[in-house]
Every structure is written in structure tokens, then in C-alpha cells.
Amino acid sequence: MSGTGPGMGARPARHDTGGTGPPGGTGPPGGADVAAITDDLRAFLAAATGRDELLRIPPGAALFGTAVGLDSLTGTLLLREIQRRLGVDVAGEDLNLDSLATLGTLAEFVAQRIKPGGSP
């Protein structure tokens, strides 16, 4: 890894900024593109764990299950990176952390709450 540490910017982001959502309904109106957020989350997870296979996990993959196998440290790093890059405080807004069930639930949660200008 480089000296800058893992980041979600391993790939160019493809966030919707048109205010109508991307074709096919992958994002909420005025919100971010769920597919782009999912890709960003995959890139961060792969960089943080050193496991390139995480670039291809499906949205239904359990983050703390066998597919991804997050531990508390990596989970905390993921939440901090989401807050830093996208302006969404997952832990502060989802006290039960239900949004961390799968990659897809986390991406949906973030997409619904992303603030304008929160995307890179």
C-alpha cells in the first residue's frame, strides 16, 4: 500500500449529481448513485484488507459474515472513511447499525443520506 493509507478513491467515483437519479433507478432522486457507492465501498474494503477478491463481492454479501469478514477495527475504519469522504455519520444515524448487515444495505443507507458536495 502507499503511504497515504487505504481510501475509497481507489477507483474514480461515479456519483450521480444530476438531481434525477441515474437511468435504471439505481439511486434516489437527488441522491447519490448506489452502484457508485457500492463500488467505492468495495474498493475501500479491498484496500483496507489487502483482499482484491472483495472488489467483486455482491451487494448481498454480509459485511461481518464469511464473505467479507470485517472485524471491529476494519468496520470502524470503514465508517470513518464514509464520514470523511461522503459526510454521512452511519454510527450516529443508525444506532443499531442495521445498515451494516450487507454491502447493499450500507450503500443504500449512505445514498439516501449523502449531502450535496459530499461526493468526491
mmCIF file of all heavy atoms in Angstrom, residues 62-99:
data_model
loop_
_atom_site.group_PDB
_atom_site.id
_atom_site.type_symbol
_atom_site.label_atom_id
_atom_site.label_comp_id
_atom_site.label_asym_id
_atom_site.label_seq_id
_atom_site.Cartn_x
_atom_site.Cartn_y
_atom_site.Cartn_z
ATOM 1 N N ALA A 62 -22.728 -10.357 3.354
ATOM 2 C CA ALA A 62 -22.719 -9.898 4.744
ATOM 3 C C ALA A 62 -21.351 -9.309 5.074
ATOM 4 O O ALA A 62 -20.325 -9.948 4.838
ATOM 5 C CB ALA A 62 -23.044 -11.047 5.677
ATOM 6 N N LEU A 63 -21.353 -8.098 5.610
ATOM 7 C CA LEU A 63 -20.077 -7.430 5.913
ATOM 8 C C LEU A 63 -19.329 -8.121 7.054
ATOM 9 O O LEU A 63 -18.108 -8.185 7.032
ATOM 10 C CB LEU A 63 -20.313 -5.961 6.241
ATOM 11 C CG LEU A 63 -20.788 -5.107 5.073
ATOM 12 C CD1 LEU A 63 -21.106 -3.687 5.532
ATOM 13 C CD2 LEU A 63 -19.741 -5.079 3.971
ATOM 14 N N PHE A 64 -20.052 -8.618 8.037
ATOM 15 C CA PHE A 64 -19.393 -9.272 9.163
ATOM 16 C C PHE A 64 -19.490 -10.788 9.074
ATOM 17 O O PHE A 64 -19.127 -11.494 9.985
ATOM 18 C CB PHE A 64 -19.971 -8.753 10.492
ATOM 19 C CG PHE A 64 -19.544 -7.340 10.777
ATOM 20 C CD1 PHE A 64 -20.339 -6.276 10.369
ATOM 21 C CD2 PHE A 64 -18.350 -7.066 11.411
ATOM 22 C CE1 PHE A 64 -19.946 -4.969 10.610
ATOM 23 C CE2 PHE A 64 -17.945 -5.762 11.650
ATOM 24 C CZ PHE A 64 -18.747 -4.707 11.250
ATOM 25 N N GLY A 65 -19.955 -11.308 7.947
ATOM 26 C CA GLY A 65 -20.040 -12.748 7.732
ATOM 27 C C GLY A 65 -18.784 -13.270 7.065
ATOM 28 O O GLY A 65 -17.765 -12.591 6.966
ATOM 29 N N THR A 66 -18.891 -14.466 6.538
ATOM 30 C CA THR A 66 -17.717 -15.105 5.957
ATOM 31 C C THR A 66 -17.253 -14.464 4.654
ATOM 32 O O THR A 66 -16.069 -14.509 4.341
ATOM 33 C CB THR A 66 -17.985 -16.603 5.716
ATOM 34 O OG1 THR A 66 -19.139 -16.732 4.893
ATOM 35 C CG2 THR A 66 -18.201 -17.337 7.026
ATOM 36 N N ALA A 67 -18.165 -13.866 3.882
ATOM 37 C CA ALA A 67 -17.779 -13.286 2.588
ATOM 38 C C ALA A 67 -16.766 -12.157 2.750
ATOM 39 O O ALA A 67 -15.738 -12.134 2.088
ATOM 40 C CB ALA A 67 -19.010 -12.779 1.837
ATOM 41 N N VAL A 68 -17.047 -11.227 3.631
ATOM 42 C CA VAL A 68 -16.153 -10.083 3.834
ATOM 43 C C VAL A 68 -15.333 -10.273 5.095
ATOM 44 O O VAL A 68 -14.132 -10.024 5.114
ATOM 45 C CB VAL A 68 -16.954 -8.759 3.892
ATOM 46 C CG1 VAL A 68 -16.034 -7.573 4.164
ATOM 47 C CG2 VAL A 68 -17.730 -8.552 2.603
ATOM 48 N N GLY A 69 -15.973 -10.691 6.155
ATOM 49 C CA GLY A 69 -15.261 -10.975 7.400
ATOM 50 C C GLY A 69 -14.682 -9.746 8.089
ATOM 51 O O GLY A 69 -13.580 -9.805 8.626
ATOM 52 N N LEU A 70 -15.437 -8.639 8.083
ATOM 53 C CA LEU A 70 -14.952 -7.451 8.780
ATOM 54 C C LEU A 70 -14.782 -7.731 10.257
ATOM 55 O O LEU A 70 -15.556 -8.466 10.854
ATOM 56 C CB LEU A 70 -15.945 -6.294 8.629
ATOM 57 C CG LEU A 70 -16.009 -5.543 7.330
ATOM 58 C CD1 LEU A 70 -16.936 -4.341 7.472
ATOM 59 C CD2 LEU A 70 -14.651 -5.097 6.861
ATOM 60 N N ASP A 71 -13.778 -7.105 10.839
ATOM 61 C CA ASP A 71 -13.642 -7.114 12.285
ATOM 62 C C ASP A 71 -13.981 -5.711 12.779
ATOM 63 O O ASP A 71 -14.265 -4.812 11.977
ATOM 64 C CB ASP A 71 -12.238 -7.556 12.715
ATOM 65 C CG ASP A 71 -11.124 -6.676 12.147
ATOM 66 O OD1 ASP A 71 -11.386 -5.512 11.785
ATOM 67 O OD2 ASP A 71 -9.988 -7.153 12.068
ATOM 68 N N SER A 72 -13.966 -5.506 14.065
ATOM 69 C CA SER A 72 -14.387 -4.211 14.605
ATOM 70 C C SER A 72 -13.469 -3.079 14.155
ATOM 71 O O SER A 72 -13.935 -1.970 13.895
ATOM 72 C CB SER A 72 -14.478 -4.257 16.130
ATOM 73 O OG SER A 72 -13.227 -4.601 16.693
ATOM 74 N N LEU A 73 -12.195 -3.327 14.019
ATOM 75 C CA LEU A 73 -11.268 -2.281 13.586
ATOM 76 C C LEU A 73 -11.534 -1.869 12.142
ATOM 77 O O LEU A 73 -11.662 -0.681 11.838
ATOM 78 C CB LEU A 73 -9.818 -2.743 13.735
ATOM 79 C CG LEU A 73 -8.763 -1.755 13.208
ATOM 80 C CD1 LEU A 73 -8.861 -0.423 13.942
ATOM 81 C CD2 LEU A 73 -7.380 -2.337 13.325
ATOM 82 N N THR A 74 -11.650 -2.831 11.242
ATOM 83 C CA THR A 74 -11.906 -2.512 9.839
ATOM 84 C C THR A 74 -13.276 -1.873 9.677
ATOM 85 O O THR A 74 -13.454 -0.961 8.879
ATOM 86 C CB THR A 74 -11.786 -3.765 8.955
ATOM 87 O OG1 THR A 74 -10.548 -4.415 9.239
ATOM 88 C CG2 THR A 74 -11.816 -3.400 7.481
ATOM 89 N N GLY A 75 -14.262 -2.332 10.457
ATOM 90 C CA GLY A 75 -15.591 -1.724 10.422
ATOM 91 C C GLY A 75 -15.543 -0.262 10.851
ATOM 92 O O GLY A 75 -16.168 0.600 10.226
ATOM 93 N N THR A 76 -14.780 0.027 11.881
ATOM 94 C CA THR A 76 -14.622 1.405 12.344
ATOM 95 C C THR A 76 -13.924 2.253 11.289
ATOM 96 O O THR A 76 -14.326 3.391 11.029
ATOM 97 C CB THR A 76 -13.837 1.440 13.670
ATOM 98 O OG1 THR A 76 -14.564 0.685 14.644
ATOM 99 C CG2 THR A 76 -13.639 2.856 14.170
ATOM 100 N N LEU A 77 -12.893 1.706 10.672
ATOM 101 C CA LEU A 77 -12.200 2.438 9.605
ATOM 102 C C LEU A 77 -13.140 2.728 8.440
ATOM 103 O O LEU A 77 -13.114 3.825 7.869
ATOM 104 C CB LEU A 77 -10.990 1.642 9.114
ATOM 105 C CG LEU A 77 -9.825 1.505 10.082
ATOM 106 C CD1 LEU A 77 -8.772 0.558 9.508
ATOM 107 C CD2 LEU A 77 -9.215 2.855 10.389
ATOM 108 N N LEU A 78 -13.970 1.759 8.090
ATOM 109 C CA LEU A 78 -14.936 1.943 7.009
ATOM 110 C C LEU A 78 -15.906 3.076 7.348
ATOM 111 O O LEU A 78 -16.151 3.957 6.518
ATOM 112 C CB LEU A 78 -15.694 0.633 6.769
ATOM 113 C CG LEU A 78 -16.839 0.677 5.754
ATOM 114 C CD1 LEU A 78 -16.316 1.025 4.359
ATOM 115 C CD2 LEU A 78 -17.563 -0.658 5.733
ATOM 116 N N LEU A 79 -16.448 3.077 8.556
ATOM 117 C CA LEU A 79 -17.392 4.122 8.955
ATOM 118 C C LEU A 79 -16.734 5.499 8.976
ATOM 119 O O LEU A 79 -17.340 6.497 8.569
ATOM 120 C CB LEU A 79 -18.007 3.801 10.312
ATOM 121 C CG LEU A 79 -18.873 2.542 10.370
ATOM 122 C CD1 LEU A 79 -19.417 2.336 11.773
ATOM 123 C CD2 LEU A 79 -19.995 2.601 9.354
ATOM 124 N N ARG A 80 -15.501 5.564 9.431
ATOM 125 C CA ARG A 80 -14.779 6.849 9.445
ATOM 126 C C ARG A 80 -14.515 7.345 8.031
ATOM 127 O O ARG A 80 -14.614 8.539 7.754
ATOM 128 C CB ARG A 80 -13.473 6.710 10.219
ATOM 129 C CG ARG A 80 -13.714 6.558 11.724
ATOM 130 C CD ARG A 80 -12.465 6.377 12.499
ATOM 131 N NE ARG A 80 -11.703 7.617 12.480
ATOM 132 C CZ ARG A 80 -10.474 7.724 12.953
ATOM 133 N NH1 ARG A 80 -9.879 6.675 13.482
ATOM 134 N NH2 ARG A 80 -9.850 8.867 12.906
ATOM 135 N N GLU A 81 -14.193 6.437 7.125
ATOM 136 C CA GLU A 81 -13.936 6.822 5.739
ATOM 137 C C GLU A 81 -15.211 7.312 5.065
ATOM 138 O O GLU A 81 -15.184 8.288 4.308
ATOM 139 C CB GLU A 81 -13.327 5.645 4.966
ATOM 140 C CG GLU A 81 -12.840 6.000 3.597
ATOM 141 C CD GLU A 81 -11.597 6.887 3.569
ATOM 142 O OE1 GLU A 81 -11.033 7.203 4.635
ATOM 143 O OE2 GLU A 81 -11.189 7.263 2.459
ATOM 144 N N ILE A 82 -16.335 6.667 5.347
ATOM 145 C CA ILE A 82 -17.616 7.119 4.800
ATOM 146 C C ILE A 82 -17.929 8.526 5.303
ATOM 147 O O ILE A 82 -18.333 9.402 4.530
ATOM 148 C CB ILE A 82 -18.752 6.132 5.176
ATOM 149 C CG1 ILE A 82 -18.578 4.813 4.421
ATOM 150 C CG2 ILE A 82 -20.123 6.743 4.894
ATOM 151 C CD1 ILE A 82 -19.476 3.699 4.907
ATOM 152 N N GLN A 83 -17.714 8.756 6.574
ATOM 153 C CA GLN A 83 -17.987 10.092 7.120
ATOM 154 C C GLN A 83 -17.030 11.132 6.533
ATOM 155 O O GLN A 83 -17.445 12.223 6.161
ATOM 156 C CB GLN A 83 -17.891 10.087 8.641
ATOM 157 C CG GLN A 83 -18.296 11.423 9.237
ATOM 158 C CD GLN A 83 -18.445 11.366 10.737
ATOM 159 O OE1 GLN A 83 -18.032 10.420 11.391
ATOM 160 N NE2 GLN A 83 -19.044 12.400 11.296
ATOM 161 N N ARG A 84 -15.767 10.783 6.416
ATOM 162 C CA ARG A 84 -14.773 11.725 5.883
ATOM 163 C C ARG A 84 -15.046 12.063 4.427
ATOM 164 O O ARG A 84 -15.034 13.224 4.035
ATOM 165 C CB ARG A 84 -13.363 11.137 6.032
ATOM 166 C CG ARG A 84 -12.255 12.086 5.579
ATOM 167 C CD ARG A 84 -10.886 11.415 5.623
ATOM 168 N NE ARG A 84 -10.700 10.454 4.571
ATOM 169 C CZ ARG A 84 -10.364 10.776 3.310
ATOM 170 N NH1 ARG A 84 -10.212 12.027 2.960
ATOM 171 N NH2 ARG A 84 -10.192 9.829 2.405
ATOM 172 N N ARG A 85 -15.304 11.063 3.618
ATOM 173 C CA ARG A 85 -15.440 11.285 2.178
ATOM 174 C C ARG A 85 -16.833 11.692 1.738
ATOM 175 O O ARG A 85 -16.981 12.434 0.781
ATOM 176 C CB ARG A 85 -15.029 10.035 1.401
ATOM 177 C CG ARG A 85 -13.563 9.725 1.605
ATOM 178 C CD ARG A 85 -12.873 8.975 0.511
ATOM 179 N NE ARG A 85 -13.553 8.749 -0.713
ATOM 180 C CZ ARG A 85 -13.217 9.328 -1.873
ATOM 181 N NH1 ARG A 85 -12.237 10.193 -1.917
ATOM 182 N NH2 ARG A 85 -13.867 9.021 -2.972
ATOM 183 N N LEU A 86 -17.853 11.187 2.420
ATOM 184 C CA LEU A 86 -19.216 11.395 1.943
ATOM 185 C C LEU A 86 -20.091 12.208 2.889
ATOM 186 O O LEU A 86 -21.224 12.533 2.559
ATOM 187 C CB LEU A 86 -19.874 10.046 1.641
ATOM 188 C CG LEU A 86 -19.120 9.174 0.639
ATOM 189 C CD1 LEU A 86 -19.745 7.789 0.547
ATOM 190 C CD2 LEU A 86 -19.075 9.833 -0.723
ATOM 191 N N GLY A 87 -19.581 12.497 4.074
ATOM 192 C CA GLY A 87 -20.331 13.325 5.013
ATOM 193 C C GLY A 87 -21.492 12.622 5.688
ATOM 194 O O GLY A 87 -22.397 13.271 6.192
ATOM 195 N N VAL A 88 -21.484 11.293 5.715
ATOM 196 C CA VAL A 88 -22.563 10.534 6.348
ATOM 197 C C VAL A 88 -22.005 9.857 7.598
ATOM 198 O O VAL A 88 -21.064 9.072 7.516
ATOM 199 C CB VAL A 88 -23.144 9.472 5.380
ATOM 200 C CG1 VAL A 88 -24.212 8.634 6.083
ATOM 201 C CG2 VAL A 88 -23.709 10.140 4.136
ATOM 202 N N ASP A 89 -22.620 10.165 8.757
ATOM 203 C CA ASP A 89 -22.222 9.558 10.022
ATOM 204 C C ASP A 89 -23.112 8.346 10.269
ATOM 205 O O ASP A 89 -24.160 8.443 10.896
ATOM 206 C CB ASP A 89 -22.358 10.579 11.152
ATOM 207 C CG ASP A 89 -21.944 10.036 12.503
ATOM 208 O OD1 ASP A 89 -21.458 8.877 12.586
ATOM 209 O OD2 ASP A 89 -22.112 10.764 13.500
ATOM 210 N N VAL A 90 -22.708 7.210 9.741
ATOM 211 C CA VAL A 90 -23.521 5.994 9.822
ATOM 212 C C VAL A 90 -23.780 5.630 11.279
ATOM 213 O O VAL A 90 -24.926 5.384 11.667
ATOM 214 C CB VAL A 90 -22.851 4.814 9.073
ATOM 215 C CG1 VAL A 90 -23.649 3.542 9.255
ATOM 216 C CG2 VAL A 90 -22.691 5.154 7.591
ATOM 217 N N ALA A 91 -22.762 5.605 12.109
ATOM 218 C CA ALA A 91 -22.921 5.210 13.508
ATOM 219 C C ALA A 91 -23.811 6.185 14.270
ATOM 220 O O ALA A 91 -24.567 5.779 15.154
ATOM 221 C CB ALA A 91 -21.557 5.096 14.181
ATOM 222 N N GLY A 92 -23.755 7.457 13.933
ATOM 223 C CA GLY A 92 -24.577 8.457 14.603
ATOM 224 C C GLY A 92 -26.028 8.439 14.169
ATOM 225 O O GLY A 92 -26.918 8.824 14.922
ATOM 226 N N GLU A 93 -26.293 7.996 12.948
ATOM 227 C CA GLU A 93 -27.657 7.995 12.422
ATOM 228 C C GLU A 93 -28.335 6.636 12.507
ATOM 229 O O GLU A 93 -29.556 6.550 12.440
ATOM 230 C CB GLU A 93 -27.645 8.461 10.960
ATOM 231 C CG GLU A 93 -27.214 9.908 10.819
ATOM 232 C CD GLU A 93 -27.284 10.389 9.389
ATOM 233 O OE1 GLU A 93 -28.260 10.032 8.699
ATOM 234 O OE2 GLU A 93 -26.379 11.109 8.968
ATOM 235 N N ASP A 94 -27.565 5.581 12.622
ATOM 236 C CA ASP A 94 -28.110 4.217 12.685
ATOM 237 C C ASP A 94 -27.578 3.574 13.961
ATOM 238 O O ASP A 94 -26.603 2.828 13.933
ATOM 239 C CB ASP A 94 -27.680 3.433 11.438
ATOM 240 C CG ASP A 94 -28.219 2.013 11.412
ATOM 241 O OD1 ASP A 94 -29.115 1.690 12.213
ATOM 242 O OD2 ASP A 94 -27.739 1.226 10.583
ATOM 243 N N LEU A 95 -28.232 3.879 15.078
ATOM 244 C CA LEU A 95 -27.717 3.460 16.380
ATOM 245 C C LEU A 95 -27.623 1.945 16.529
ATOM 246 O O LEU A 95 -26.748 1.444 17.231
ATOM 247 C CB LEU A 95 -28.573 4.054 17.493
ATOM 248 C CG LEU A 95 -28.575 5.582 17.543
ATOM 249 C CD1 LEU A 95 -29.466 6.074 18.676
ATOM 250 C CD2 LEU A 95 -27.168 6.135 17.693
ATOM 251 N N ASN A 96 -28.492 1.198 15.869
ATOM 252 C CA ASN A 96 -28.430 -0.264 15.928
ATOM 253 C C ASN A 96 -27.468 -0.838 14.889
ATOM 254 O O ASN A 96 -27.230 -2.035 14.876
ATOM 255 C CB ASN A 96 -29.815 -0.878 15.719
ATOM 256 C CG ASN A 96 -30.751 -0.572 16.855
ATOM 257 O OD1 ASN A 96 -30.332 -0.465 17.999
ATOM 258 N ND2 ASN A 96 -32.025 -0.410 16.544
ATOM 259 N N LEU A 97 -26.971 0.003 14.009
ATOM 260 C CA LEU A 97 -26.063 -0.378 12.927
ATOM 261 C C LEU A 97 -26.657 -1.461 12.021
ATOM 262 O O LEU A 97 -25.946 -2.294 11.480
ATOM 263 C CB LEU A 97 -24.698 -0.798 13.481
ATOM 264 C CG LEU A 97 -23.930 0.329 14.176
ATOM 265 C CD1 LEU A 97 -22.643 -0.207 14.783
ATOM 266 C CD2 LEU A 97 -23.636 1.478 13.226
ATOM 267 N N ASP A 98 -27.979 -1.414 11.826
ATOM 268 C CA ASP A 98 -28.644 -2.338 10.911
ATOM 269 C C ASP A 98 -28.148 -2.161 9.480
ATOM 270 O O ASP A 98 -28.174 -3.100 8.691
ATOM 271 C CB ASP A 98 -30.165 -2.134 10.943
ATOM 272 C CG ASP A 98 -30.771 -2.482 12.291
ATOM 273 O OD1 ASP A 98 -30.222 -3.369 12.986
ATOM 274 O OD2 ASP A 98 -31.794 -1.863 12.651
ATOM 275 N N SER A 99 -27.701 -0.960 9.154
ATOM 276 C CA SER A 99 -27.223 -0.686 7.798
ATOM 277 C C SER A 99 -25.954 -1.461 7.458
ATOM 278 O O SER A 99 -25.589 -1.580 6.295
ATOM 279 C CB SER A 99 -26.974 0.817 7.608
ATOM 280 O OG SER A 99 -25.986 1.259 8.516
#
